[in-house]
Amino acid sequence: VRSGVVTDITHLPIREEIVDWVLIPNIVEHVNEPEAMFLEACRVLKKGGRAFVFAPHVREEHQPPYDYFRYTRYGLRHLFEKAGFEVQSITPASGIFDVLSKTTMLALDFLPPMKKKIFGLLFEKWVKPALWRYDSFYQQHPVNTAKECPMAYLAFLRKP
């Protein structure tokens, strides 16, 4: 299959079971029929073919009006399995401290320019590096290990 084809991701102009890999990077939230997208991805994969999905979980609304959904790992698993995939893994791409860092940076955009500059410099120099360190060390809640708040999920799938 040639790259550079622009088409509707829910109706790919590709024969069934012809591709080895399907990559769905950072577009799940922009497809208004995600079930159809995953069904189509599974349709074009060969048996034993693999898929990789990067799906944001915490993010500002962007690219209006084409920003539709955010999913938990459980919602993603439901969509993948319903489409016919075997889920190999769905893992958080980061933790709560990365979310705090990114959402703080987004919040700075709401400040007047001078305040944004001052707080932005302080944040970049002192707070952001600490949050990133915390994110690498404290990914799991100390009491409720099922609790998580990642920026995104990484999913590896296989067509049985």
Side-chain angles (χ1 to χ4, degrees):
V1 176
R2 291 176 16 155
S3 64
V5 175
V6 177
T7 189
D8 177 353
I9 197 163
T10 63
H11 297 92
L12 297 172
I14 300 171
R15 293 191 328 258
E16 288 187 13
E17 298 187 357
I18 194 168
V19 299
D20 295 310
W21 268 96
V22 172
L23 303 174
I24 303 175
N26 212 15
I27 63 166
V28 172
E29 75 275 23
H30 297 291
V31 177
N32 64 0
E33 295 181 42
E35 289 182 29
M37 173 181 59
F38 294 127
L39 280 167
E40 192 66 354
C42 196
R43 181 187 70 79
V44 301
L45 272 176
K46 295 176 183 174
K47 289 188 186 335
R50 310 248 182 215
F52 169 77
V53 179
F54 177 89
H57 179 64
V58 176
R59 176 121 194 235
E60 81 282 6
E61 284 187 16
H62 60 286
Q63 298 180 8
Y66 304 105
D67 190 358
Y68 301 105
F69 303 105
R70 302 291 186 276
Y71 291 99
T72 64
R73 71 170 56 225
Y74 311 104
L76 289 169
R77 178 177 293 279
H78 172 76
L79 288 172
F80 300 151
E81 289 176 347
K82 191 173 179 182
F85 284 107
E86 173 186 290
V87 177
Q88 294 187 306
S89 66
I90 302 174
T91 57
S94 68
I96 187 71
F97 294 102
D98 186 40
V99 170
L100 184 56
S101 175
K102 298 263 178 21
T103 53
T104 301
M105 298 210 22
L106 289 171
L108 292 174
D109 285 339
F110 287 80
L111 295 176
M114 188 49 94
K115 287 188 181 199
K116 177 182 177 180
K117 184 175 182 176
I118 292 167
F119 286 116
L121 289 171
L122 291 171
F123 180 77
E124 288 287 334
K125 183 166 176 86
W126 302 104
V127 179
K128 187 176 177 181
L131 290 174
W132 282 9
R133 278 193 308 278
Y134 290 167
D135 200 63
S136 63
F137 290 117
Y138 306 112
Q139 293 232 342
Q140 195 169 48
H141 190 279
V143 177
N144 183 352
T145 56
K147 188 183 274 189
E148 59 189 17
C149 186
M151 285 297 294
Y153 288 102
L154 307 173
F156 289 92
L157 314 170
R158 182 180 168 278
K159 182 174 180 176

